[in-house]
Amino acid sequence: MPTWVPGAAGTLFDVDNLPYGVFSLPGEGPRVGVRIGDHVLDLAPVAAAEMLDVHHVFQEGSLNALMAEGHRVRSSVRTWITGLLTEEPERDLVEPHLVPLADVTLHLPVEVADYVDFYASEHHASNVGRIFRPDAEPLLANWKHLPVGYHGRAGTVVASGTPVVRPSGQRRGDPAPTYGPSTRLDIEAELGFVVGVGSELGTAVPHDAFADHVFGVVGLNDWSARDIQAWEYVPLGPFLGKSFATSVSHWVTPLEALDAAWVDLPAQDPEPLPYLGPGQVQGLDIDVEVVVNGEVVSRPPYRTMYWSPAQMLAHMTVNGASLRTGDLFGSGTVSGPAEDQRGSLLEVGWGEESAFLDDGDEVTLRYTAPGTAGGRIALGDVVGRVEPARG
Ligand code: MN
């Protein structure tokens, strides 16, 4: 059934999308809303009026309480919201609680627990290998056996729109390292997966339990200072070159909205170990656009990734590390095989100094996917503008 919400039908935020976010109105506290067209539906008062069992989760300043409810509640809440927005008799109750997007402030949607970032694109990992180690094999020996990742900094995950201050740090120098504002500030266009339901310490999450634990997907920009990163990353991996900011979209797209977007990923060779799942792996057919100062510079396709989201989840828990509500894991830079499909400026400019970001530059990541109604849906944009280094 089409939605009765004015202007929403046929858009990228039609009733088959319904991403969740956290919004506030002037003078009021942040609470949970769902996006339909160019409006936010204020869920708390509608859920209270309809005496929904879980109405309290919409009064929170993050999605964590909603996400922790798990698969069954997630699915029944979505069915309830779909009814509110499509059934004409609901309109009198619901319409007063539709707020134009232009009137709200949007916030970081999730209280981030732990943040892990992977490196799951073979094209990205190979490109980076060729740029940094031109005389060696582009992929290291472990790369096709496990999804390589590192632990990032949860406390510096910020909402889309938050300015990004150029980081300062050490970089390689001759004869000695120097300190100063990064001269190679870059982006990484990624997807982020948000955990709703935690797991028990000491127990691995199997590769086929992805939908039991993951609530939804965000757009993610893993800002990276390549000069700081290049000097520090051996032997323990990225540290200050990435921990200064990670931007995520205001909207969390629930897994149900992406039911039609699952596709086979490229075949894996060699076959991974059994805990990473046998046979064909599945990813999401999400198209990404990287926009710098209003100009599209790249269109990375997520369907070309090597490691699947379910494999990343299985790998990050195989040692018994537990999941918590609000855990966030990034896919790694999404880069396809073609030159115009590269998800970082390091690759777009193939290491040229001029490709990196200047103060004042604005980067927007946009994402679309097939929707369940035959058209397309959008994930939330991820926007960030570079501010000059401080101090
Ligand atoms: Mn990354």
Side-chain angles (χ1 to χ4, degrees), residues 244-260:
F244 55 95
T246 305
S247 302
V248 296
S249 56
H250 291 124
W251 301 106
V252 180
T253 305
L255 285 189
E256 285 81 358
L258 294 165
D259 276 349

mmCIF file of all heavy atoms in Angstrom, residues 244-260:
data_model
loop_
_atom_site.group_PDB
_atom_site.id
_atom_site.type_symbol
_atom_site.label_atom_id
_atom_site.label_comp_id
_atom_site.label_asym_id
_atom_site.label_seq_id
_atom_site.Cartn_x
_atom_site.Cartn_y
_atom_site.Cartn_z
ATOM 1 N N PHE A 244 41.140 10.146 15.091
ATOM 2 C CA PHE A 244 40.678 11.523 15.363
ATOM 3 C C PHE A 244 39.216 11.734 14.994
ATOM 4 O O PHE A 244 38.557 12.609 15.566
ATOM 5 C CB PHE A 244 41.575 12.542 14.656
ATOM 6 C CG PHE A 244 41.687 12.308 13.171
ATOM 7 C CD1 PHE A 244 40.862 12.978 12.293
ATOM 8 C CD2 PHE A 244 42.620 11.401 12.669
ATOM 9 C CE1 PHE A 244 40.954 12.766 10.919
ATOM 10 C CE2 PHE A 244 42.713 11.167 11.296
ATOM 11 C CZ PHE A 244 41.872 11.856 10.428
ATOM 12 N N ALA A 245 38.666 10.970 14.056
ATOM 13 C CA ALA A 245 37.239 11.102 13.709
ATOM 14 C C ALA A 245 36.809 9.983 12.768
ATOM 15 O O ALA A 245 37.553 9.608 11.861
ATOM 16 C CB ALA A 245 36.952 12.442 13.043
ATOM 17 N N THR A 246 35.619 9.462 13.001
ATOM 18 C CA THR A 246 34.948 8.552 12.065
ATOM 19 C C THR A 246 33.507 9.056 11.974
ATOM 20 O O THR A 246 32.830 9.158 12.997
ATOM 21 C CB THR A 246 34.942 7.107 12.595
ATOM 22 O OG1 THR A 246 36.289 6.706 12.876
ATOM 23 C CG2 THR A 246 34.327 6.159 11.583
ATOM 24 N N SER A 247 33.067 9.416 10.774
ATOM 25 C CA SER A 247 31.710 9.972 10.619
ATOM 26 C C SER A 247 30.729 8.892 10.189
ATOM 27 O O SER A 247 31.055 8.074 9.334
ATOM 28 C CB SER A 247 31.706 11.080 9.557
ATOM 29 O OG SER A 247 32.605 12.109 9.894
ATOM 30 N N VAL A 248 29.538 8.910 10.785
ATOM 31 C CA VAL A 248 28.478 7.990 10.352
ATOM 32 C C VAL A 248 27.209 8.774 10.012
ATOM 33 O O VAL A 248 27.011 9.897 10.477
ATOM 34 C CB VAL A 248 28.146 6.914 11.424
ATOM 35 C CG1 VAL A 248 29.345 6.006 11.672
ATOM 36 C CG2 VAL A 248 27.666 7.547 12.713
ATOM 37 N N SER A 249 26.357 8.148 9.217
ATOM 38 C CA SER A 249 25.103 8.786 8.810
ATOM 39 C C SER A 249 24.177 8.964 10.016
ATOM 40 O O SER A 249 24.268 8.241 11.004
ATOM 41 C CB SER A 249 24.404 7.938 7.742
ATOM 42 O OG SER A 249 24.194 6.612 8.195
ATOM 43 N N HIS A 250 23.272 9.938 9.903
ATOM 44 C CA HIS A 250 22.255 10.130 10.942
ATOM 45 C C HIS A 250 21.263 8.968 10.983
ATOM 46 O O HIS A 250 20.607 8.744 11.995
ATOM 47 C CB HIS A 250 21.449 11.402 10.670
ATOM 48 C CG HIS A 250 22.237 12.659 10.862
ATOM 49 N ND1 HIS A 250 22.366 13.608 9.870
ATOM 50 C CD2 HIS A 250 22.924 13.124 11.923
ATOM 51 C CE1 HIS A 250 23.104 14.605 10.334
ATOM 52 N NE2 HIS A 250 23.458 14.341 11.561
ATOM 53 N N TRP A 251 21.122 8.287 9.846
ATOM 54 C CA TRP A 251 20.063 7.277 9.717
ATOM 55 C C TRP A 251 20.642 5.887 9.755
ATOM 56 O O TRP A 251 21.639 5.608 9.102
ATOM 57 C CB TRP A 251 19.289 7.497 8.409
ATOM 58 C CG TRP A 251 18.686 8.858 8.392
ATOM 59 C CD1 TRP A 251 19.094 9.938 7.672
ATOM 60 C CD2 TRP A 251 17.576 9.308 9.186
ATOM 61 N NE1 TRP A 251 18.304 11.034 7.965
ATOM 62 C CE2 TRP A 251 17.369 10.671 8.887
ATOM 63 C CE3 TRP A 251 16.735 8.690 10.119
ATOM 64 C CZ2 TRP A 251 16.364 11.423 9.491
ATOM 65 C CZ3 TRP A 251 15.735 9.428 10.723
ATOM 66 C CH2 TRP A 251 15.557 10.783 10.391
ATOM 67 N N VAL A 252 20.012 5.015 10.522
ATOM 68 C CA VAL A 252 20.381 3.600 10.559
ATOM 69 C C VAL A 252 19.319 2.843 9.769
ATOM 70 O O VAL A 252 18.136 2.843 10.147
ATOM 71 C CB VAL A 252 20.448 3.058 12.002
ATOM 72 C CG1 VAL A 252 20.838 1.576 11.997
ATOM 73 C CG2 VAL A 252 21.437 3.872 12.833
ATOM 74 N N THR A 253 19.736 2.227 8.679
ATOM 75 C CA THR A 253 18.806 1.481 7.831
ATOM 76 C C THR A 253 18.671 0.070 8.391
ATOM 77 O O THR A 253 19.659 -0.663 8.477
ATOM 78 C CB THR A 253 19.351 1.415 6.389
ATOM 79 O OG1 THR A 253 19.610 2.752 5.946
ATOM 80 C CG2 THR A 253 18.366 0.745 5.458
ATOM 81 N N PRO A 254 17.460 -0.326 8.816
ATOM 82 C CA PRO A 254 17.328 -1.663 9.408
ATOM 83 C C PRO A 254 17.512 -2.752 8.350
ATOM 84 O O PRO A 254 17.237 -2.524 7.173
ATOM 85 C CB PRO A 254 15.899 -1.661 9.971
ATOM 86 C CG PRO A 254 15.165 -0.637 9.171
ATOM 87 C CD PRO A 254 16.182 0.397 8.752
ATOM 88 N N LEU A 255 17.985 -3.910 8.780
ATOM 89 C CA LEU A 255 18.250 -5.002 7.827
ATOM 90 C C LEU A 255 17.042 -5.317 6.945
ATOM 91 O O LEU A 255 17.200 -5.637 5.771
ATOM 92 C CB LEU A 255 18.664 -6.276 8.574
ATOM 93 C CG LEU A 255 20.080 -6.318 9.163
ATOM 94 C CD1 LEU A 255 20.368 -7.729 9.670
ATOM 95 C CD2 LEU A 255 21.124 -5.885 8.151
ATOM 96 N N GLU A 256 15.824 -5.215 7.520
ATOM 97 C CA GLU A 256 14.616 -5.558 6.747
ATOM 98 C C GLU A 256 14.490 -4.717 5.471
ATOM 99 O O GLU A 256 13.984 -5.191 4.458
ATOM 100 C CB GLU A 256 13.351 -5.339 7.584
ATOM 101 C CG GLU A 256 13.110 -6.392 8.638
ATOM 102 C CD GLU A 256 13.919 -6.169 9.896
ATOM 103 O OE1 GLU A 256 14.720 -5.214 9.955
ATOM 104 O OE2 GLU A 256 13.773 -6.990 10.824
ATOM 105 N N ALA A 257 14.946 -3.463 5.517
ATOM 106 C CA ALA A 257 14.841 -2.590 4.343
ATOM 107 C C ALA A 257 15.800 -3.032 3.241
ATOM 108 O O ALA A 257 15.664 -2.623 2.086
ATOM 109 C CB ALA A 257 15.129 -1.144 4.740
ATOM 110 N N LEU A 258 16.776 -3.876 3.606
ATOM 111 C CA LEU A 258 17.794 -4.314 2.645
ATOM 112 C C LEU A 258 17.576 -5.757 2.190
ATOM 113 O O LEU A 258 18.457 -6.363 1.583
ATOM 114 C CB LEU A 258 19.186 -4.146 3.266
ATOM 115 C CG LEU A 258 19.578 -2.675 3.518
ATOM 116 C CD1 LEU A 258 20.783 -2.582 4.448
ATOM 117 C CD2 LEU A 258 19.867 -1.953 2.206
ATOM 118 N N ASP A 259 16.380 -6.304 2.465
ATOM 119 C CA ASP A 259 16.111 -7.703 2.101
ATOM 120 C C ASP A 259 16.345 -7.980 0.615
ATOM 121 O O ASP A 259 16.746 -9.090 0.251
ATOM 122 C CB ASP A 259 14.654 -8.078 2.449
ATOM 123 C CG ASP A 259 14.498 -8.491 3.910
ATOM 124 O OD1 ASP A 259 15.531 -8.684 4.586
ATOM 125 O OD2 ASP A 259 13.348 -8.602 4.378
ATOM 126 N N ALA A 260 16.070 -6.992 -0.246
ATOM 127 C CA ALA A 260 16.210 -7.214 -1.695
ATOM 128 C C ALA A 260 17.618 -6.888 -2.190
ATOM 129 O O ALA A 260 17.903 -7.006 -3.388
ATOM 130 C CB ALA A 260 15.183 -6.363 -2.458
#
